[in-house]
Amino acid sequence: MTYQEVTSVSWFGRIKNSVVGVLVGIVLILAMIILLFWNEGRAVTTARSLEEGAGIVVSVSAGQIDPANEDALVHVTGMVTTNDMPSDPDFGIMVNALQLLRQVEMYQWVEESRSETTKNLGGSEDTVTTYTYSRRWSEQEHESSEFRHPDGRENPPMELRRGYFPVEDASIGEFQLSSTVIAMIDNQEPLRLGRENAEAIQDVVGRSHRVHIIDGNIYLGDDPHNPQVGDYRISYKIVPIGAASVIGQQAGAGIVNYQTNAGDRLLLVTHGIASASDMFADAAQSNAMLTWILRAVAVFMLVIGFAMIMGPLGVIADIVPILGSIVRFGSGIVAIIFGIMTGTLTIAVAWFWYRPLTSLIVIAVGFGISWLLTQRAKKNASQASASIA
């Protein structure tokens, strides 16, 4: 089912909106500059902390706690053991694992909208918005009261949500693992329930919903092949009991965050048996990846910010639509240039602030390469002139 609505904005109204966009663009640019500067500092602090940690970490046996390593950065590996079993009380599910994770979907009405805008001679603008409604499974609750056309598309409240159920106590040898460490062991795998679980789950749920087991997952509703609004699908994942490796500060019988001189707090956890060097290498790679992702996002948002600042130019020129398109294309190119320049300049300044020696070396190398290229170009030009003569 689809509905269409047409809204119009005058040329003066669009100019007013674009001026508001300028203010938003300025705030966005300032925020992205701050983000880029912070990101470089975060990356440097993390890199230095990892380098510091890699140089002082001590690999210890999990079978015995040595008081001499108290407060030291230690590396422990071994099988994780626990006497606890995570359970989901809402469905009476209990498993032999470290973590039990519940995912919930509800069959419900979902609203989607799509807008197409047409610019008119004189600068006004018409927008056709198409609202489409369909029923489907979704983990997110869609409030039907907020739909543009809610009549006949009422969703019941989503009473069941995703859940996280870890064990309360676990250890590697003599070392006790905190809830933080347990949560960082992330080798998740699906949990498939058997049809024999349906009756027990039905007893826990009660008669408000009919329970089915479909493809190893729980279905709450009358007919899994003909879902109705308000039906649920529940699936589970577990983190199985197995080996794990932990790097952190030895604190009694526990392992906690280690405060480095560089400024970071180190606590590295991975499933399986991993050497300290591999764990630090993986952490360094993750740090570099996060740094580049934040750089890319910030530069992209800078481009958007500059485009918003120059937005009024295109709106003013839209009094003749084709002229507005030309101006908007040109301002878009300028926004890309300004965004990249601002981003790279901010990164350069941050590098000089946080890593002055490295920055000077990079600048020196850059000038050196430029000088060599210039000299080579002059030499080629001289040889070309001599050949002509």
Side-chain angles (χ1 to χ4, degrees):
M1 185 70 68
T2 60
Y3 298 84
Q4 285 190 337
E5 293 184 0
V6 180
T7 57
S8 299
V9 182
S10 68
W11 185 49
F12 290 105
R14 292 182 61 212
I15 292 176
K16 179 181 177 180
N17 293 338
S18 67
V19 171
V20 175
V22 170
L23 300 177
V24 175
I26 293 173
V27 173
L28 184 60
I29 289 171
L30 292 176
M32 291 306 102
I33 290 174
I34 293 173
L35 174 62
L36 280 172
F37 204 91
W38 169 85
N39 182 46
E40 296 306 310
R42 179 207 58 77
V44 171
T45 299
T46 301
R48 288 174 177 171
S49 295
L50 292 173
E51 184 178 356
E52 177 186 336
I56 62 175
V57 67
V58 179
S59 293
V60 300
S61 171
Q64 183 178 0
I65 296 176
D66 187 350
N69 293 321
E70 184 70 11
D71 295 331
L73 184 65
V74 297
H75 166 243
V76 181
T77 65
M79 288 295 297
V80 179
T81 59
T82 179
N83 294 320
D84 193 9
M85 294 181 69
S87 62
D88 179 358
D90 292 329
F91 295 94
I93 303 296
M94 181 177 292
V95 293
N96 187 25
L98 294 178
Q99 302 172 38
L100 176 65
L101 303 98
R102 182 179 73 196
Q103 296 175 300
V104 178
E105 297 174 289
M106 188 174 80
Y107 197 70
Q108 54 190 305
W109 284 102
V110 176
E111 177 187 76
E112 293 180 320
S113 62
R114 184 182 70 255
S115 297
E116 296 180 359
T117 300
T118 303
K119 296 177 178 61
N120 306 313
L121 186 65
S124 65
E125 187 176 76
D126 294 333
T127 300
V128 178
T129 302
T130 302
Y131 296 92
T132 303
Y133 297 90
S134 60
R135 292 176 295 178
R136 62 185 175 192
W137 296 101
S138 177
E139 287 188 272
Q140 176 187 352
E141 181 176 12
H142 295 264
E143 293 280 356
S144 53
S145 60
E146 298 178 1
F147 289 171
R148 188 68 175 176
H149 301 276
D151 293 344
R153 301 174 186 87
E154 291 79 15
N155 288 328
M158 194 169 180
E159 298 173 346
L160 296 172
R161 302 284 183 162
R162 64 170 57 229
Y164 171 66
F165 313 97
V167 296
E168 295 183 1
D169 297 298
S171 60
I172 297 179
E174 296 297 316
F175 286 91
Q176 300 298 312
L177 304 183
S178 66
S179 59
T180 301
V181 172
I182 294 171
M184 293 173 70
I185 304 174
D186 60 356
N187 56 319
Q188 300 176 9
E189 59 183 46
L191 172 66
R192 298 299 182 189
L193 302 173
R195 293 182 181 273
E196 65 277 7
N197 298 116
E199 186 175 346
I201 296 172
Q202 186 74 73
D203 290 339
V204 175
V205 172
R207 299 302 163 183
S208 58
H209 296 283
R210 186 178 175 187
V211 175
H212 305 266
I213 302 297
I214 305 296
D215 297 328
N217 301 320
I218 300 173
Y219 183 95
L220 301 182
D222 291 333
D223 185 357
H225 303 291
N226 183 29
Q228 301 298 311
V229 171
D231 288 359
Y232 289 93
R233 290 194 310 197
I234 296 96
S235 60
Y236 288 94
K237 290 184 178 181
I238 62 169
V239 172
I241 295 175
S245 303
V246 183
I247 293 177
Q249 178 180 320
Q250 179 176 313
I255 301 176
V256 298
N257 288 289
Y258 178 85
Q259 181 64 58
T260 65
N261 293 324
D264 242 359
R265 295 169 65 84
L266 293 181
L267 182 62
L268 308 181
V269 181
T270 187
H271 67 276
I273 303 298
S275 66
S277 59
D278 286 344
M279 293 179 68
F280 277 110
D282 289 343
Q285 185 177 8
S286 298
N287 180 46
M289 184 179 299
L290 177 60
T291 301
W292 279 105
I293 289 174
L294 291 177
R295 284 172 178 168
V297 170
V299 171
F300 177 74
M301 297 305 292
L302 281 171
V303 172
I304 292 178
F306 281 110
M308 295 178 73
I309 288 178
M310 291 182 284
L313 297 177
V315 175
I316 292 173
D318 271 341
I319 194 168
V320 179
I322 186 64
L323 181 59
S325 298
I326 294 173
V327 171
R328 197 169 284 104
F329 176 79
S331 63
I333 298 298
V334 173
I336 292 173
I337 295 172
F338 278 13
I340 294 175
M341 288 179 59
T342 302
T344 53
L345 179 61
T346 302
I347 293 172
V349 172
W351 266 54
F352 193 78
W353 179 268
Y354 293 111
R355 296 180 274 196
L357 181 59
T358 303
S359 299
L360 290 174
I361 293 174
V362 171
I363 292 172
V365 171
F367 274 114
I369 293 174
S370 300
W371 182 82
L372 289 174
L373 292 175
T374 302
Q375 294 302 310
R376 184 165 185 174
K378 289 182 178 179
K379 182 178 180 181
N380 291 338
S382 298
Q383 291 177 349
S385 299
S387 298
I388 295 174

